[in-house]
């Protein structure tokens, strides 16, 4: 179906006729468009073919002037297009840069967070490793248990503690917890570590270091008098200190 | 009606009759006047002098006008009388 040429604008008609060169209806519509103002010029030759110099000169001047106007208009159109394109490009570049900057900031933040998390994790792992090391050293061998039992054979309280340690397979921390729970004491983490630290001043008295039964009774007395903890805890505390190496423990 | 005479009422569309000759004006038949043809030639050469491309050149057999579209917006009509006209300004 053909378009309604009478309702088309001059620029649209121009585009149309250039692709429909044999459509005389469209061409007529373009050349008789009501919006166009025409300037009529006189003939360039006489009826017998003789040039009319005056009219030719008029024609040349008119066309020259008209072409200059046309060129100026074309320049303005190109400038407008260029400005439009420049604005569009600037907007696009700004949008791209903005998203680029946002990405970079996001990446940096993520990196910072990762570093922080990694540092925290490393710290945690180190602490756990330390704890694991402590836990291994907080175990006594069967031989050590037998030796302690022999040394403490006159102290029934200490022997009961040794039994608990035996039940716990030599794990001093577990034994200490069991004893504390049985006595109805509130149990904290790293119980043995904390208790032995608290008792360091007692344990590290020079005249106590050598004799296990003496050390245990001193610790027991200290525990009961200062914190109301069960005296039976004295045995795992003492063994823990000895297991750590009594000199190292006291050099702390 | 005597034989040999034309029955004008029955003339098909697109036929041109002179006293003795009748012929179909084909699409694209070009029969300008001398003044018109000379004006076309001179105007086109002037446009060419100013580096304006002739984009469309058409002879309208119905109105016998020549239509010239040159450059971006130059439109020219050349009439059988040899007069010609151009768009002085547009709505653009």
């Amino acid at each position: 179906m053909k378009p309604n040429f009478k309702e088309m604008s001059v620029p649209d008609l121009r585009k149309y006729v250039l692709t429909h060169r044999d459509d005389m209806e469209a061409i007529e519509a373009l050349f008789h468009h009501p919006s166009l103002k025409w300037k009529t010029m006189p003939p360039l030759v006489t009826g017998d073919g003789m040039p009319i110099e005056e009219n030719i000169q008029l024609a040349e001047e008119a066309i020259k002037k008209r072409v200059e106007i046309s060129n100026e208009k074309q320049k303005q159109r190109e400038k407008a297009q260029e400005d439009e394109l420049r604005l569009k490009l600037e907007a696009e570049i700004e949008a791209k840069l903005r998203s680029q900057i946002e990405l970079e900031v996001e990446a940096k933040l993520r990196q910072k967070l990762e570093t922080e998390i990694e540092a925290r994790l490393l710290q945690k792992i180190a602490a756990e490793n330390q704890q694991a090391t402590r836990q291994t050293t907080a175990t006594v061998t069967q031989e050590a248990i037998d030796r302690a039992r022999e040394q403490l054979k006159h102290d029934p309280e200490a022997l009961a503690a040794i039994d608990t340690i035996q039940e716990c397979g030599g794990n001093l921390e577990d034994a200490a917890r069991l004893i504390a729970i049985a006595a109805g004491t509130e149990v904290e983490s790293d119980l043995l570590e904390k208790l032995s630290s608290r008792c360091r001043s007692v344990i590290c008295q020079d005249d106590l270091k050598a004799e296990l039964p003496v050390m245990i009774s001193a610790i027991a007395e200290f525990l009961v008098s200062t914190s109301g903890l069960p005296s039976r805890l004295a045995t795992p505390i003492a063994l823990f200190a000895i297991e750590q190496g009594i000199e190292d423990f006291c050099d702390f | 009606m005597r034989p040999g005479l034309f029955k004008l009422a029955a003339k098909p569309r697109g036929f041109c009759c002179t006293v003795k000759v009748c012929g179909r004006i084909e699409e694209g038949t070009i029969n300008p006047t001398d003044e018109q043809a000379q004006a076309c030639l001179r105007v086109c050469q002037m446009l060419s002098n100013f580096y304006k491309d002739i984009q469309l050149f058409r002879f309208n057999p119905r109105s016998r006008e020549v239509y010239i579209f040159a450059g971006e917006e130059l439109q020219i009509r050349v009439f059988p009388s040899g007069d010609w006209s151009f768009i002085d300004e547009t709505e653009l």
Side-chain angles (χ1 to χ4, degrees):
Chain A
M1 202 178 112
K2 274 194 183 185
N4 186 353
F5 301 124
K6 288 202 170 123
E7 286 180 3
M8 282 170 76
S9 69
V10 170
D12 286 346
L13 274 170
R14 282 176 181 156
K15 272 183 217 156
Y16 183 87
V17 299
L18 288 179
T19 51
H20 301 78
R21 286 160 183 266
D22 291 322
D23 193 334
M24 193 47 79
E25 193 190 340
I27 295 170
E28 276 184 355
L30 171 60
F31 280 81
H32 295 87
H33 198 280
S35 72
L36 300 178
K37 288 181 187 164
W38 295 89
K39 185 172 185 183
T40 304
M41 302 294 289
L44 304 178
V45 291
T46 59
D48 52 7
M50 293 299 289
I52 309 172
E53 290 302 335
E54 195 188 336
N55 290 351
I56 290 170
Q57 198 166 345
L58 276 178
E60 277 173 349
E61 280 164 13
I63 285 184
K64 184 176 180 220
K65 201 173 160 193
R66 187 63 190 81
V67 165
E68 277 168 2
I69 291 169
S70 178
N71 286 345
E72 187 55 39
K73 273 189 182 176
Q74 180 65 13
K75 255 190 221 167
Q76 282 173 4
R77 268 197 300 267
E78 280 168 7
K79 193 175 180 300
Q81 275 176 358
E82 200 185 298
D83 289 349
E84 200 185 334
L85 192 67
R86 186 185 298 122
L87 283 178
K88 202 178 147 192
L89 275 175
E90 278 173 3
E92 273 177 23
I93 289 169
E94 203 199 316
K96 271 187 192 164
L97 274 181
R98 190 185 296 275
S99 61
Q100 183 74 30
I101 288 167
E102 278 168 4
L103 279 179
E104 276 173 22
V105 168
E106 199 188 311
K108 276 187 187 159
L109 278 179
R110 189 184 297 138
Q111 205 181 349
K112 201 182 160 197
L113 268 180
E114 280 172 0
T115 317
E116 278 179 16
I117 289 169
E118 200 184 324
R120 263 186 238 167
L121 279 177
L122 280 176
Q123 218 174 342
K124 207 177 161 193
I125 289 166
E128 276 173 10
N129 284 344
Q130 211 179 340
Q131 204 173 357
T133 317
R134 269 206 307 275
Q135 276 168 2
T136 51
T137 57
T139 311
V140 284
T141 59
Q142 188 57 49
E143 289 79 35
I145 292 171
D146 293 342
R147 205 162 49 240
R149 199 187 289 284
E150 177 60 30
Q151 283 174 295
L152 297 167
K153 59 188 173 193
H154 301 301
D155 184 345
E157 190 72 2
L159 284 177
I162 293 288
D163 288 343
T164 308
I165 292 167
Q166 179 106 41
E167 281 165 26
C168 293
N171 188 317
L172 297 174
E173 173 77 18
D174 288 352
R177 296 173 87 83
L178 269 181
I179 293 165
I181 290 165
T185 310
E186 198 181 326
V187 176
E188 19 180 9
S189 59
D190 294 334
L191 181 65
L192 208 47
E193 176 85 23
K194 285 172 186 159
L195 287 176
S196 60
S197 290
R198 209 182 296 171
C199 300
R200 187 172 277 117
S201 59
V202 181
I203 296 166
C204 295
Q205 290 172 47
D206 280 337
D207 50 344
L208 291 188
K209 277 186 202 167
E211 289 293 324
L212 185 61
V214 183
M215 189 198 283
I216 286 173
S217 54
I219 295 169
E221 195 183 328
F222 177 76
L223 284 179
V224 174
S225 64
T226 58
S227 47
L229 286 163
S231 57
R232 197 172 288 185
L233 279 172
T235 306
I237 292 169
L239 288 178
F240 175 74
I242 292 164
E243 196 61 33
Q244 299 258 304
I246 197 80
E247 297 302 331
D248 285 349
F249 178 81
C250 291
D251 270 353
F252 196 84
Chain B
M1 188 184 286
R2 281 182 296 169
L5 268 186
F6 234 81
K7 192 181 174 188
L8 286 173
K11 182 180 75 170
R13 208 178 143 84
F15 266 71
C16 172
C17 302
T18 60
V19 180
K20 287 182 180 173
V21 182
C22 281
R24 176 178 283 275
I25 294 174
E26 298 291 340
E27 194 71 36
T29 295
I30 299 169
N31 49 354
T33 64
D34 289 346
E35 294 95 320
Q36 191 178 18
Q38 289 254 13
C40 284
L41 186 136
R42 285 176 183 273
V43 165
C44 282
Q45 177 140 330
M46 286 173 199
L47 289 171
S48 186
N49 287 344
F50 293 109
Y51 302 97
K52 289 293 158 192
D53 295 338
I54 311 291
Q55 299 208 56
L56 188 77
F57 190 105
R58 276 287 175 276
F59 183 82
N60 183 352
R62 199 179 55 79
S63 66
R64 304 188 71 192
E65 283 178 42
V66 171
Y67 301 132
I68 303 167
F69 176 33
E72 297 298 320
E73 53 169 28
L74 299 175
Q75 281 178 234
I76 290 164
R77 286 157 76 185
V78 185
F79 306 101
S81 64
D83 290 329
W84 59 284
S85 64
F86 63 91
I87 301 174
D88 205 16
E89 57 177 355
T90 67
E91 61 176 348
L92 296 177

